[in-house]
Amino acid sequence: QKEVEQDPGPLSVPEGAIVSLNCTYSNSAFQYFMWYRQYSRKGPELLMYTYSSGNKEDGRFTAQVDKSSKYISLFIRDSQPSDSATYLCAMSGPGGYNKLIFGAGTRLAVHP
Amino acid sequence: DAGVIQSPRHEVTEMGQEVTLRCKPISGHDYLFWYRQTMMRGLELLIYFNNNVPIDDSGMPEDRFSAKMPNASFSTLKIQPSEPRDSAVYFCASSLVGTGSYEQYFGPGTRLTVT
């Protein structure tokens, strides 16, 4: 079993939809949770970062962490075609936030 | 800032050849990371450096892989000898710790094909 599980999709939604992306993990020691966005043939870029449990909102994006369920989510409101990309969850443990474990990534397509 | 610079962007080589990938981190960053991305295994951390010193190389798959960081502005990842299963996109990333930011800035990647 992988430490971090993420449905690879693809996920196809119409413009304006609310998108929900999720990851589950097995290591209860994880403390740092991140979402990276990767456009085709580009390097990943950090979208959201959360430490421990709770919610964090940034514009149209909301990240949630539920440590009791070992489950993290990223919500995208009013999705746009420019949101079409692969979204990777990443997390790390008490050894430091540098050693990231990535999920497989979910490919999202937002069509006009 | 130009961001993280990687070269070459594409590399095609034959099995058994030596491959050297290069990375220039963002100026002033004190951490440098090498990742490998494949369809089967996703994005995996290979090794990372802090102030040019290797901190964790537990992700390096085999002795055929080696990484160096001779100074703060340059790092190499070498594969010798290369094998077809090494075909992947290799990313370099850098970060600056201590500013409250945990972001790793990724380069554009080097797409390696070993035939």
Side-chain angles (χ1 to χ4, degrees):
Chain A
Q1 183 189 5
K2 292 183 179 179
E3 277 193 289
V4 179
E5 298 278 359
Q6 184 177 10
D7 187 337
L11 186 61
S12 181
V13 302
E15 183 175 353
I18 297 175
V19 176
S20 173
L21 305 168
N22 312 292
C23 288
T24 58
Y25 61 94
S26 56
N27 189 344
S28 58
F30 284 147
Q31 294 181 329
Y32 301 90
F33 303 92
M34 302 173 189
W35 286 94
Y36 277 79
R37 178 175 61 194
Q38 185 176 22
Y39 290 113
S40 180
R41 296 190 175 264
K42 302 284 187 183
E45 55 181 348
L46 183 66
L47 199 58
M48 299 283 285
Y49 158 80
T50 308
Y51 173 72
S52 194
S53 283
N55 295 359
K56 189 171 187 177
E57 189 172 319
D58 184 2
R60 296 184 296 111
F61 299 90
T62 300
Q64 290 184 350
V65 175
D66 182 349
K67 292 191 73 177
S68 61
S69 302
K70 299 191 183 68
Y71 188 87
I72 71 170
S73 302
L74 177 70
F75 296 95
I76 307 175
R77 290 182 298 280
D78 188 25
S79 56
Q80 302 295 310
S82 59
D83 295 328
S84 299
T86 296
Y87 290 80
L88 302 112
C89 62
M91 45 200 81
S92 62
Y97 40 77
N98 285 309
K99 194 168 181 178
L100 293 177
I101 309 297
F102 281 84
T106 300
R107 197 153 49 118
L108 171 67
V110 181
H111 51 87
Chain B
D1 199 318
V4 175
I5 299 172
Q6 292 187 247
S7 65
R9 293 294 309 276
H10 301 273
E11 177 81 36
V12 180
T13 191
E14 292 184 347
M15 181 173 64
Q17 295 299 305
E18 178 180 294
V19 175
T20 299
L21 311 181
R22 297 172 176 80
C23 174
K24 176 178 168 54
I26 293 174
S27 176
H29 281 193
D30 54 358
Y31 279 82
L32 183 138
F33 307 82
W34 282 102
Y35 288 89
R36 178 174 68 176
Q37 188 174 40
T38 62
M39 289 293 291
M40 289 295 294
R41 301 177 65 90
L43 189 61
E44 302 174 287
L45 177 65
L46 299 177
I47 184 172
Y48 74 92
F49 296 82
N50 176 217
N51 292 324
N52 313 339
V53 176
I55 302 301
D56 189 330
D57 66 353
S58 59
M60 297 285 261
E62 301 169 37
D63 291 345
R64 299 184 296 106
F65 286 69
S66 62
K68 293 182 180 179
M69 191 165 186
N71 57 63
S73 58
F74 184 67
S75 178
T76 59
L77 178 67
K78 186 174 293 186
I79 308 172
Q80 165 64 17
S82 58
E83 296 183 4
R85 60 192 166 124
D86 301 330
S87 297
V89 180
Y90 290 81
F91 288 102
C92 175
S94 70
S95 70
L96 176 61
V97 174
T99 61
S101 171
Y102 305 96
E103 181 169 1
Q104 294 183 18
Y105 294 81
F106 283 76
T110 295
R111 186 171 297 270
L112 173 65
T113 302
V114 183
T115 61

